[in-house]
Amino acid sequence: MARPVITLALFGLMAALLLAAVDRATRERIELNQQRRALEILHQVLPPEAYDNELVSDRFEAWIEGLVPPTLIYRARKNGEPVALLADLVTADGYSGNIRLIAGLHPDGEIIAVRTVEHRETPGLGDRIELERSDWIRQFAGASRGNPPLAEWKPDRRGGQFDTLASATISSAAVTGALAKLLDWHAGIDERAFTISSTTENRPERTNP
């Protein structure tokens, strides 16, 4: 009786290990594809010839109020001089959950461009936050915390200054609000964004309950 039980247990263990290995490989492949997609979009926001440093190593994590933490901030430099900040940010305010964006900022906080990386918004409606679906996302280029004033960083259907995607007010508001939060954070950190060396330097202190 013992031998069949042991054999069955070994087969079960081998099957579990195989499933775990497949799951790990699948997750790694998905993560790699997501990273490649993010890098492609980074280059849509800021072309490679605009900087000469290694973005992958010149970065830090930011804890921005209202965004899913942490927000990854890449720093672009040319000949050692600041060129842009590229924020890989996520908002949980989408109609169907998280929306991931790449937003490029000039050192003074003016938006260079914004692109959508991932989302689950409604096809034919909210998915028009993608550049491939419409030009809606282009309207943020050139805007900043003071242009328009931060209080007006809302879709026009909610009293703001930005166009609202038809039948996709929540998606429009999620993207616009996320960018407003990014700009508000940038105003507080300003030039220090190019000198922070620790990935946790600007992380809020944890307090015991």
Side-chain angles (χ1 to χ4, degrees):
M1 292 291 294
R3 182 174 294 176
V5 170
I6 292 173
T7 301
L8 185 61
L10 288 174
F11 273 118
L13 177 60
M14 291 174 63
L17 291 173
L18 180 60
L19 287 173
V22 170
D23 179 66
R24 182 184 302 172
T26 301
R27 280 188 285 111
E28 289 176 351
R29 190 179 302 112
I30 291 172
E31 290 174 2
L32 181 60
N33 288 337
Q34 289 174 340
Q35 290 171 3
R36 286 174 177 168
R37 168 70 172 159
L39 186 58
E40 289 173 2
I41 293 179
L42 280 173
H43 288 160
Q44 290 179 24
V45 173
L46 188 71
E49 60 269 19
Y51 63 92
D52 58 12
N53 64 315
E54 290 290 337
L55 290 181
V56 174
S57 57
D58 197 349
R59 65 185 185 181
F60 65 95
E61 293 173 334
W63 273 256
I64 300 176
E65 185 175 357
L67 298 181
V68 177
T71 297
L72 190 57
I73 308 291
Y74 297 90
R75 294 177 283 208
R77 310 174 196 262
K78 186 83 168 183
N79 298 322
E81 294 299 317
V83 170
L85 296 174
L86 301 165
D88 187 341
L89 59 98
V90 177
T91 175
D93 295 333
Y95 182 79
S96 301
N98 288 355
I99 296 174
R100 183 182 173 195
L101 306 166
I102 297 286
L105 303 179
H106 289 295
D108 64 1
E110 180 183 294
I111 291 179
I112 300 169
V114 183
R115 296 291 183 269
T116 304
V117 183
E118 297 173 41
H119 69 87
R120 296 195 300 273
E121 302 302 273
T122 307
L125 297 173
D127 69 345
R128 285 176 292 161
I129 60 175
E130 298 177 36
L131 181 62
E132 293 84 355
R133 305 291 182 181
S134 79
D135 285 337
W136 179 85
I137 201 81
R138 292 187 186 275
Q139 68 180 312
F140 300 104
S144 65
R145 188 174 183 271
N147 177 34
L150 200 62
E152 298 178 16
W153 273 77
K154 294 179 289 186
D156 52 12
R157 290 189 182 178
R158 294 188 175 180
Q161 291 295 313
F162 294 94
D163 292 340
T164 307
L165 283 168
S167 302
T169 303
I170 294 176
S171 303
S172 304
V175 173
T176 307
L179 295 174
K181 294 177 178 71
L182 175 67
L183 293 176
D184 199 36
W185 164 82
H186 179 267
I189 197 168
D190 203 11
E191 71 275 1
R192 291 188 296 121
F194 283 93
T195 60
I196 288 175
S197 58
S198 171
T199 58
T200 58
E201 184 174 328
N202 64 325
R203 183 172 186 169
E205 293 292 333
R206 292 185 178 180
T207 57
N208 293 324

